[in-house]
Amino acid sequence: MIPPKEFLRKIKPFSFLPEEQLAALTGSLDVAMYAAGKVVCAKDEVSPSVFLVFSGLVGLYDGDELVDLVSKGEIFGLLSAIHHSPSYYEARALEDTICYLIDAEAFEKVYRSHSAFASFFTTFIERRFRSFAQLAREQESLRDGATAVLVETVVSKSPVTCAPDQSVGEAVGIMDAHGVGSVVVTEGGRPLGILTNRDMRRVLLQGNRNSAVKDFMSAPVITVDRRASVLEAYTTLLRTGIDHLVVTDQDRVHGVITSKDVLAQLEPSSSILALYRKILKAVDLEELKSAFHAIRVAVSEMALKGSHFDQLSRMITSVYDTVVVRVIQRHIPQKDVQDFVWVHVGSSGRKEQIFTTDQDSAIICAAAGPCVNVTEDITRTLEQIGIPRCPADYMASNPRWHLSLDAWKEHFRRWFAEPIPDHVRYLTVFLDLRAVYGNGEMLAQLIEAIQESVTNQAVRFLAYDAALHEPPIGIFGIKHRDRDMDIKRYGLYPIANGVRVMIVANRMLRITNTRERIEALRDAGVMGKETAGDLLEAYAFLQDLRLRHQARAKKHGSPETNLIRPEHLDKMDLLVLKESLKVVASFQKNLKALYGVDRGL
């Protein structure tokens, strides 16, 4: 049998501890053997020890229900020891088992005195999975400054606002009183436009102090979400050529930032920024192709250094959108921009693509909108740059998805009224609509029509679809560890699709990003705070796990797939994967109950 200190030294987070504190734990340690079927710790008992399994298997039971399994190198009895509270579960040996018993008082003393040791346990208990996995890997997250800093940290003042019917003179007085160079024009807390010092020139030429603000404000207003990265704000400023950017929180004004605020946060030598500038300045397809490829490589390297999915997906979305806009502008004259809106759908519509970015698009157009031949040219050009066609042909170049506003409204009306399998599949793709270029008002009108078309029967079919692929979790943890598991199908897909079901049912389709949808459902009281917290953590961890997997594949020239072999993961990632899949399974169960899926379709 391995000496206790050597056994503990190989296990995280005990490996974090200095010699003195490790000795304090092992000095109070005892060893116990439990025959199969023996109760190790009874429910409602305050245990004097923390149990560390050396060999064998322990089941945690809530009554007759097996809740979890604890195997070699894993701990139970932690909460009872730290909080001196009765155990939630009965711990029972499922096979002959040997445990190290760490004195609860000695454990608590070390727990209270060593922050990294304590954080390891608390982050997992609170289901902060991503933080837990990061601690377990003992890495500092090395992030590019432009992706680590969020826009909300740059906002230094509360928003200065006025109403659209107020006079320009009143607006100037408000700006002077607050010492700012702009005022956001709002209605019901939502931004309609912005009035800046630059707009005052038009007032001098065409109006007077008594003119209404709405007649001279810049509209529609360009916005950025408060949780976006500073790089995303920077790319928006460069792309639009404006100086003031309205920061929003769920479509409501949060503040205003300027180009000076953003530039102060960015490193001049940033390779990502340099590559992005190349895209903006590119004069031919080869330059666009080269810069886009280089950015994907840089993103891959950042992923391997510890940057998170949410940061990188927002960044690559900004780059991807810019490339698409540049290509569209090469093929469609500026004078026709009001005749259509180019939209992204699916994961691109949700801003959740990185390496496997392909062309998920559609077009809403007026009768005189772009013809199919032009959109095919755009598709072909994007393909040449390095953005492949959608395998399922969900692209604006496909005549089926190149439609007038009225035709799109009729499509959605029919899909909801007749939720046959094909129509449900179309809904899972096209309900994630996000405008990229053109007349955004067309998309706003379509979303209004979609929300009026929703039927309870279609919502039930969408819920059934989201719960169809249950995670491979059994009483002994993840099933078939020696086989590839599709992390998208069994982890990401059920969360993204299930959350969309709730968004559709509650007519909140203007929000497309999964994380933002969960937060919106939570804030609206539709989803419980605990459920929302668990889903946010599970989704973030699963996306990060897939991101690292695909980044390694890209580095070694292998296919960038969603297939992960659980037995190849380190112990901590495997543990968190198991817990994340439990969250998914629980969410699917609740979804089926909420929308009556179990009662039949």
Side-chain angles (χ1 to χ4, degrees):
M1 187 170 178
I2 302 173
K5 185 183 289 187
E6 295 308 311
F7 183 66
L8 262 64
R9 201 192 304 277
K10 296 178 180 179
I11 299 173
K12 296 166 184 173
F14 295 97
S15 58
F16 299 167
L17 297 175
E19 191 68 25
E20 181 181 351
Q21 289 180 315
L22 194 61
L25 291 180
T26 54
S28 67
L29 187 142
D30 200 357
V31 181
M33 299 181 66
Y34 302 93
K38 183 175 177 60
V39 173
V40 179
C41 181
K43 184 177 180 179
D44 298 327
E45 173 186 331
V46 178
S47 174
S49 305
V50 173
F51 298 86
L52 174 63
V53 178
F54 176 79
S55 65
L57 187 67
V58 174
L60 302 183
Y61 287 84
D62 183 4
D64 293 329
E65 181 183 358
L66 179 61
V67 176
D68 206 351
L69 293 164
V70 189
S71 58
K72 182 175 181 177
E74 297 180 345
I75 285 176
F76 64 97
L78 177 68
L79 287 176
S80 180
I82 296 173
H83 300 300
H84 311 288
S85 58
S87 174
Y88 293 143
Y89 307 113
E90 176 186 271
R92 190 187 313 158
L94 297 180
E95 56 188 56
D96 292 347
T97 299
I98 299 175
C99 290
Y100 285 127
L101 279 56
I102 305 171
D103 179 72
E105 187 176 333
F107 184 92
E108 183 185 12
K109 187 175 180 179
V110 172
Y111 178 89
R112 304 293 180 196
S113 64
H114 195 284
S115 59
F117 183 78
S119 294
F120 182 89
F121 293 110
T122 55
T123 54
F124 187 72
I125 291 168
E126 295 169 7
R127 277 188 155 160
R128 288 184 280 129
F129 295 140
R130 186 165 61 183
S131 300
F132 175 83
Q134 198 167 336
L135 277 166
R137 288 193 295 273
E138 293 183 284
Q139 299 184 50
E140 286 297 323
S141 179
L142 304 176
R143 304 174 190 169
D144 182 280
T147 62
V149 180
L150 299 184
V151 166
E152 64 183 353
T153 65
V154 182
V155 177
S156 58
K157 297 180 180 179
S158 298
V160 178
T161 65
C162 73
D165 292 324
Q166 285 186 263
S167 70
V168 171
E170 289 175 315
V172 171
I174 292 171
M175 291 162 64
D176 287 343
H178 290 84
V180 296
S182 66
V183 60
V184 184
V185 185
T186 63
E187 192 169 68
R190 301 181 186 278
L192 299 179
I194 186 168
L195 190 73
T196 69
N197 288 328
R198 183 183 298 178
D199 297 314
M200 293 305 168
R201 299 172 188 171
R202 290 194 297 116
V203 176
L204 290 173
L205 293 171
Q206 304 169 18
N208 56 58
R209 289 180 57 84
N210 295 320
S211 300
V213 167
K214 64 185 177 184
D215 294 332
F216 292 95
M217 67 184 185
S218 295
V221 66
I222 306 299
T223 65
V224 65
D225 189 271
R226 68 179 179 85
R227 290 152 297 196
S229 70
V230 169
L231 178 64
E232 186 174 347
Y234 177 75
T235 59
T236 302
L237 289 168
L238 284 180
R239 186 174 68 248
T240 58
I242 61 175
D243 190 56
H244 292 76
L245 201 54
V246 175
V247 180
T248 58
D249 181 8
Q250 294 187 17
D251 293 333
R252 295 185 177 273
V253 177
H254 181 72
V256 175
I257 57 175
T258 67
S259 55
K260 286 184 179 179
D261 298 326
V262 172
L263 289 171
Q265 300 293 325
L266 300 177
E267 292 289 337
S269 60
S270 168
S271 62
I272 298 294
L273 291 181
L275 291 167
Y276 184 78
R277 291 191 190 102
K278 281 188 176 183
I279 287 176
L280 290 176
K281 295 177 181 178
V283 295
D284 58 40
L285 294 185
E286 281 305 313
E287 288 184 31
L288 272 175
K289 180 178 180 179
S290 174
F292 186 64
H293 173 74
I295 280 182
R296 293 185 69 187
V297 171
V299 167
S300 176
E301 292 173 353
M302 291 169 65
L304 292 174
K305 289 179 180 178
S307 291
H308 292 311
F309 169 82
D310 190 57
Q311 299 163 335
L312 295 182
S313 62
R314 283 184 172 274
M315 183 181 67
I316 201 68
T317 295
S318 295
V319 174
Y320 176 40
D321 287 357
T322 300
V323 171
V324 171
V325 170
R326 289 295 311 275
V327 172
I328 294 172
Q329 290 172 336
R330 291 170 65 96
H331 293 277
I332 301 177
Q334 179 64 29
K335 64 181 180 64
D336 295 333
V337 75
Q338 290 301 311
D339 293 337
F340 74 97
V341 58
W342 187 283
V343 296
H344 282 171
V345 299
S347 56
S348 180
R350 298 193 304 272
K351 298 185 178 182
E352 292 173 0
Q353 285 189 321
I354 293 188
F355 300 121
T356 54
T357 300
D358 56 16
Q359 296 186 48
D360 295 328
S361 62
I363 198 165
I364 307 167
C365 58
C371 68
V372 174
N373 289 341
V374 172
T375 52
E376 172 57 33
D377 291 340
I378 292 170
T379 295
R380 190 182 304 112
T381 303
L382 290 171
E383 188 177 22
Q384 291 171 357
I385 289 170
I387 305 174
R389 292 172 181 261
C390 171
D393 206 18
Y394 294 119
M395 295 184 295
S397 56
N398 184 336
R400 297 186 66 188
W401 317 126
H402 183 133
L403 302 167
S404 69
L405 177 58
D406 287 340
W408 274 112
K409 289 179 180 179
E410 176 57 24
H411 264 350
F412 277 102
R413 188 203 63 75
R414 186 159 48 87
W415 293 344
F416 276 111
E418 305 168 7
I420 61 176
D422 279 351
H423 292 174
V424 171
R425 185 173 73 254
Y426 297 150
L427 287 171
T428 62
V429 174
F430 290 104
L431 284 171
D432 296 330
L433 291 160
R434 179 174 63 85
V436 175
Y437 184 71
N439 185 354
E441 179 57 29
M442 286 185 174
L443 177 58
Q445 291 179 35
L446 177 58
I447 289 175
E448 284 293 331
I450 292 171
Q451 296 186 155
E452 292 173 3
S453 300
V454 174
T455 65
N456 292 336
Q457 181 73 343
V459 168
R460 292 178 67 201
F461 273 91
L462 288 167
Y464 171 80
D465 179 74
L468 187 61
H469 301 293
E470 297 180 357
I473 291 287
I475 63 169
F476 294 104
I478 298 175
K479 298 177 181 177
H480 315 305
R481 292 188 186 185
D482 59 341
R483 301 181 194 172
D484 288 337
M485 185 190 79
D486 190 326
I487 195 170
K488 180 178 180 180
R489 170 178 286 190
Y490 296 110
L492 298 170
Y493 184 98
I495 294 178
N497 284 18
V499 168
R500 187 196 303 109
V501 172
M502 299 182 71
I503 285 289
V504 172
N506 289 278
R507 285 30 174 210
M508 299 166 72
L509 277 169
R510 287 183 178 82
I511 309 166
T512 60
N513 179 263
T514 301
R515 188 199 66 189
E516 292 172 7
R517 283 173 165 175
I518 294 170
E519 291 172 343
L521 291 167
R522 177 199 63 198
D523 295 345
V526 176
M527 181 182 289
K529 290 183 179 180
E530 184 176 348
T531 298
D534 288 351
L535 284 174
L536 287 168
E537 287 295 331
Y539 197 65
F541 171 78
L542 292 168
Q543 288 283 24
D544 282 350
L545 187 62
R546 181 175 72 152
L547 173 63
R548 295 196 307 273
H549 170 70
Q550 292 184 348
R552 283 191 291 268
K554 185 172 184 65
K555 182 178 181 179
H556 298 296
S558 304
E560 299 153 17
T561 71
N562 297 307
L563 301 177
I564 289 177
R565 185 71 60 91
E567 69 176 1
H568 292 168
L569 299 176
D570 67 39
K571 192 174 182 66
M572 293 302 104
D573 275 344
L574 184 61
L575 176 61
V576 181
L577 176 60
K578 180 179 74 171
E579 293 300 317
S580 296
L581 293 179
K582 285 182 184 177
V583 170
V584 173
S586 176
F587 178 53
Q588 288 179 310
K589 180 179 178 181
N590 293 337
L591 199 69
K592 289 192 287 187
L594 181 62
Y595 296 107
V597 173
D598 287 334
R599 297 197 301 269
L601 300 173

